[in-house]
Amino acid sequence: MFHTSFIELSESALRKNFRFLQKKVGKDVLISSVIKGNAYGHGIRYMVPMAEKCGIRHFSVFSSGEALAALNSRTENSKIMIMGHLDNEDIPWAIENRISFYIFDLDRLQAALTAAKKLGHPALLHFELETGLNRMGLSKEDLEAAVDLLKKQPEDWKLEGVCTHFAGAESITNYVRIQSQLQNYHKQCSWLRQQGIELGLQHTAASAAALSYPETRFDMVRVGIAQYGYWPTQEIRMNYYLTQTNGGEKKIKDPLHRVIRWSSRIMHVHTVGPGEFIGYGTSYQTSRTQRVATIPIGYFHGFARTLSNTGHVLINGRRSPVLGVVNMNMILVDVTDIKNAKKGDEAVIIGKQNRSNISVASFSDMANFLNYEVLVRLPGEIPRIVVE
Ligand SMILES: *Cc1c(COP(=O)(O)O)cnc(C)c1O
């Protein structure tokens, strides 16, 4: 009621993904569930309790706003870590709520130490090291100055971890750069140890590195896209398949399962004679008498306009192509050959229907987006329903 489409979130799919990932990285490696971008479009408030049911106790967010959403959603005493934005004025809030955060410059470190002293509680810090991504992170000089600051007020901080982020471990083209980042990381970590600093959790890997580069796993991996059931790239998928088959013929099942299923219903069906244009403009002309169904989702709902005349939805288990341009609130699809398609029938935009499957991957390849982008564009207003 009151909604044009629904998103189902599968708890069993999520559980299978975590099981696979934990087995892959090893049981002693902590998995941090990355839930930035409203949990890659899935919804933070649904993902956190679902992941906790699967045994996850560590969450990574980009901003303080997301940390607040995670804090309000957790049902366990799970840890929350801010990898990005946090205004200095919100640092006391983070300290009081035991939320850890990245330190990538001296300004934030100083603000954290000052706030911690005032509150009488240590700030929980993760040092982010600049190793070659050239985005955020402490340079070698910053690191020396940071250690001086730490030594001045030893009671006001706890170093929970030392981390870095790779410049695209999902592609072999970046191999040399990643290896050099890893070396820099090792170097700076040993320098820190020489200063008598205990590093806490060492963590560097996101999904791609966690899956393909065992030497990047250390104590914790920050897993985003893979937990939701997607390979970061086809290359990482292939790499996994190659290690599994050993060149043999054994058929392997995809170990990752999509958590999301997005569906709507046919709003209207009508018949159009041959030679007519469908919808706005002239981009689609009928070649015969065709039956056209209206589905109440459009680019407002995250169905990309680039899917005009190229996208598909599933109706009665069959692929039904988008006719003409994607509207703000509607698409028109061809149901000429889906004989009994009628008003009220389910249309699946992402996910399974009967034995057919329409994936974000195929959806996004068509739209020339990455999985990441398609997912995070799913509006927060579409209702989410957690299913087994
Ligand atoms: C987004 C992000 C991750 C997770 O990336 P995936 O490729 O989705 O696994 C990990 N670490 C940092 C710092 C990130 O920004």
Side-chain angles (χ1 to χ4, degrees), residues 257-275:
H257 303 266
R258 312 252 143 82
V259 173
I260 265 188
R261 182 176 187 270
W262 182 22
S263 66
S264 180
R265 295 198 173 274
I266 296 179
M267 186 166 75
H268 177 67
V269 182
H270 63 286
T271 302
V272 181

Side-chain angles (χ1 to χ4, degrees), residues 365-385:
D365 284 346
M366 286 189 286
N368 285 324
F369 289 131
L370 289 168
N371 284 327
Y372 297 80
E373 201 171 332
V374 173
L375 289 170
V376 299
R377 283 187 182 188
L378 288 173
E381 297 81 50
I382 301 176
R384 270 75 169 162
I385 305 154

